[in-house]
Amino acid sequence: MPAEGEEMRTSEDAGAMPHLAAQLAADVLERLRRQAPRVHCITNAVAQNFTANVLLAAGAVPSMTIAPEEIGRFVASANALLVNLGTFDHERRDAIAIAIEAANKDQVPWVLDPVLIDRAPLRAEFARELVARGPKVVRLNRAEFSVLSGADAKPETLTRYARDRKLVAALSGETDFIADGARLAVIANGHPLMARVTAMGCAGSALTAACLAVESDPWNAGVAALLIFAIAGELAGANAAGPGSFAVAIIDALHRLDAASLIARARVS
Amino acid sequence: MPAEGEEMRTSEDAGAMPHLAAQLAADVLERLRRQAPRVHCITNAVAQNFTANVLLAAGAVPSMTIAPEEIGRFVASANALLVNLGTFDHERRDAIAIAIEAANKDQVPWVLDPVLIDRAPLRAEFARELVARGPKVVRLNRAEFSVLSGADAKPETLTRYARDRKLVAALSGETDFIADGARLAVIANGHPLMARVTAMGCAGSALTAACLAVESDPWNAGVAALLIFAIAGELAGANAAGPGSFAVAIIDALHRLDAASLIARARVS
Amino acid sequence: MPAEGEEMRTSEDAGAMPHLAAQLAADVLERLRRQAPRVHCITNAVAQNFTANVLLAAGAVPSMTIAPEEIGRFVASANALLVNLGTFDHERRDAIAIAIEAANKDQVPWVLDPVLIDRAPLRAEFARELVARGPKVVRLNRAEFSVLSGADAKPETLTRYARDRKLVAALSGETDFIADGARLAVIANGHPLMARVTAMGCAGSALTAACLAVESDPWNAGVAALLIFAIAGELAGANAAGPGSFAVAIIDALHRLDAASLIARARVS
């Protein structure tokens, strides 16, 4: 949610959906709470605690080991996997290789979050290799998308990228865009303080993995996750005195979120 | 504190103690604040920050290095040690070996928290080896106890396990059970949100280590720690709007906890 | 801010500055928000999340990678660097060597925080080597200063150490002292709960690095950082119910801090 000028607009030929998105999000949230899916997260040290608490608040069960001897088994018994490049050490790269192999073998859907590839060419290269391994969703911001795709972030380029790579591209920002090549959702919800708390994007990617665990259509999962998170952010922002209390309040809001709030607040096209 | 059906009940032949437990907990808490014991924690990355803040709020002084060159010295100059298996990497396993050797050599009491051994057979094997090295207390949940002991979690099996292994087995759940082979305490305090915040169990184990630093009877230390934590959880739950504010409030509650609250609220048999 | 007896007092011959410090701090804070400098932090796992949120709340942009292949590039494109010894593993020591080389080559100013060297002789030795590499500021507490300098912490010894090493020595405690060999500032602001939250000192060092990114006089940067942090702490303490809510409130207070509060509250000599 950076306060950058927002150039993206939904295009007429991409799929649009008004109130249905809120209903979908409410359904997915209900399933999260009922099924309590296991979500294995390879994520950076800065994000681990907040990510685990976001997942728990939404109803999912996080695990985070990266030990090579056990990560394969954790992933195989999980319902979804998050691969976040935020800590780019050897240990995590090895863990990622094992985890993706286990996920693909056992049909565990996974999300890629190519954190900061705009500042680290080696990460960008690694992220491109991972895209070829078949993530269901790539969740990123505008700068990261530009580096990953080689194109400016626009609805057309996002849609083309998603179509070519056969994945869902979920772009976070002041407005969120979720494209799968045929459909495009535009989410206008959210709160400026989401950009002032560390690991907020990382946690959004983890929530996307959680939604993927209970919703087989990856585009639906991406839309539900980013809408749930953005509306929790709005609810949190209403009472927060700054980014400290906001980070606490968004966890509370996720825990209390209901269909009525989602339906009343959703601004999706 | 998971909302599972709670099958365990205290048995008549095990030791029971009503109001004395609250007085004991108040004494131990007073000692924590006065003596400010050093507690060295080998714990997972998800839990480190919350664990350190729980220890500080209770009056203890945490340290967390796992560097092989210095951990022995940190442990030798600490008053208690926590060994948590939540991050099962080579570095931490090496650190654990050095730390336990230093602890046993210098009579520093230590607590084992065999996190998630129910999902990771290699951790379970490692945990069994560590039990043989002489922890004063093992703090775990029902699923972990079953894997560690090979028996369903019941007062009888807990008591037998504690007696055979010459340790205190402290089982957390909706109800907590602390057994040392001769005595059994049952704590009915706590709050459901304790199960919705990551690292809550890990922090409870760290608090147990802190209590062990100021109370030489490990069963007393286990009872005091779990009672203090459960009542802090109740106090936190009274005003929390969800797991985010609960995690903040339990730190505040630990910091402010007094004998009057412990005595008024303790439900121990 | 430990509740130890405070023996240090400002000496007459050292530089003094009353209300100017608040104006300076307000200017530096304004620059942080306008320039949003990049601050690369090599810091310990306990401190990472809180440190990142403190930097974001003050207006800076944190990064925290320690991977050897990319840290040089991150540092070279950063506006300041923090080197914190709180996690003393091989990976971080290697990262520190690369980072300092990149910083010195590209004139990126850096801050050293020699965490816990009073309990770890190997860290103390390493810290002395790092002092010789040219940090602009060393931020530490009394026990750490004594080990680093071999002298008791007093205004005279602090001033002498700063002069001899050609750096700014910033000593945190109930009262803060910032010396550069010619000038000495004494800050009487702060709150006792700052000593009851983990990573508070680490975050103060990161904030010092951020100020150094936008203020070329290291003594000015040190004074501004510690004054901003101490007054944010006072504001947080006014409403906190304990260390949990205090840690949240200090983030909010940093985010909302303005020149009026700085000027009204500064107690600097």
Side-chain angles (χ1 to χ4, degrees), chain C residues 168 180 183 212 215-222:
Chain C
V168 171
D180 75 345
R183 296 166 289 180
L212 210 47
E215 166 58 45
S216 59
D217 181 327
W219 185 76
N220 280 351

Side-chain angles (χ1 to χ4, degrees), chain A residues 38 45 48-49 52-53 55-65 67-70 73-74 77-78 91 248 251-252 255-256, chain B residues 45-47 50 86-91 93 116 119-123 193 195-199 240-246 248:
Chain A
R38 290 174 170 181
Q48 285 187 328
N49 185 276
N53 278 329
L55 288 176
L56 285 167
V61 178
S63 61
M64 302 215 166
T65 188
E69 300 90 334
E70 59 178 23
R73 191 184 175 99
F74 269 84
S77 71
E91 206 176 5
V248 171
I251 302 279
D252 286 352
H255 178 75
R256 298 159 67 100
Chain B
V46 184
F50 185 67
T87 307
F88 192 64
D89 52 32
H90 284 289
E91 208 175 5
R93 267 172 284 174
L116 277 184
R119 287 190 60 190
L122 289 169
R123 288 191 199 189
L193 282 174
R196 308 303 308 166
V197 176
T198 198
S245 47
F246 181 83
V248 171

